[in-house]
Amino acid sequence: MTPIFDIHIFVCTNQRTGSEKLSCGEVHGLELVAELKKQLKDLNVGLKTRANKSGCLGICDFGPTIAIYPEGVFYVGVKKEDVTEIVQSHIVNKKPVERLLLKEWK
């Protein structure tokens, strides 16, 4: 089966109320989705890309999280200003952004 997208990006936008646990959506998850969509639309590298909101990705303690498939790479603690680097390094040049990678999770 041929995948629909070459790159599929999921951005946690989960919003949790009444909890001490961090929530990506409350931080700036929706801003990340909007910025990724904008930059991917402007990208002209012949890739079929998709960025969309997701529910909880299960690693909220690490801050705003982005998952990129088909690689299965998770970026954590992502800020809006990191989006350009992720797009250029990971999407265009196929080189993960080391400083944002989820290093360890149990």
Side-chain angles (χ1 to χ4, degrees), residues 35-88:
E35 186 62 24
L36 275 161
K37 284 184 176 187
K38 178 184 173 294
Q39 289 196 28
L40 292 173
K41 181 180 177 188
D42 296 340
L43 196 60
N44 188 17
V45 292
L47 292 171
K48 294 180 286 182
T49 60
R50 168 78 181 194
N52 59 271
K53 300 182 283 187
S54 79
C56 185
L57 294 170
I59 50 177
C60 307
D61 291 340
F62 295 99
T65 302
I66 294 175
I68 300 180
Y69 286 91
E71 298 96 332
V73 168
F74 280 73
Y75 289 118
V76 294
V78 179
K79 298 176 182 160
K80 186 177 175 183
E81 52 269 20
D82 297 323
V83 171
T84 299
E85 184 177 5
I86 291 170
V87 169
Q88 290 303 311

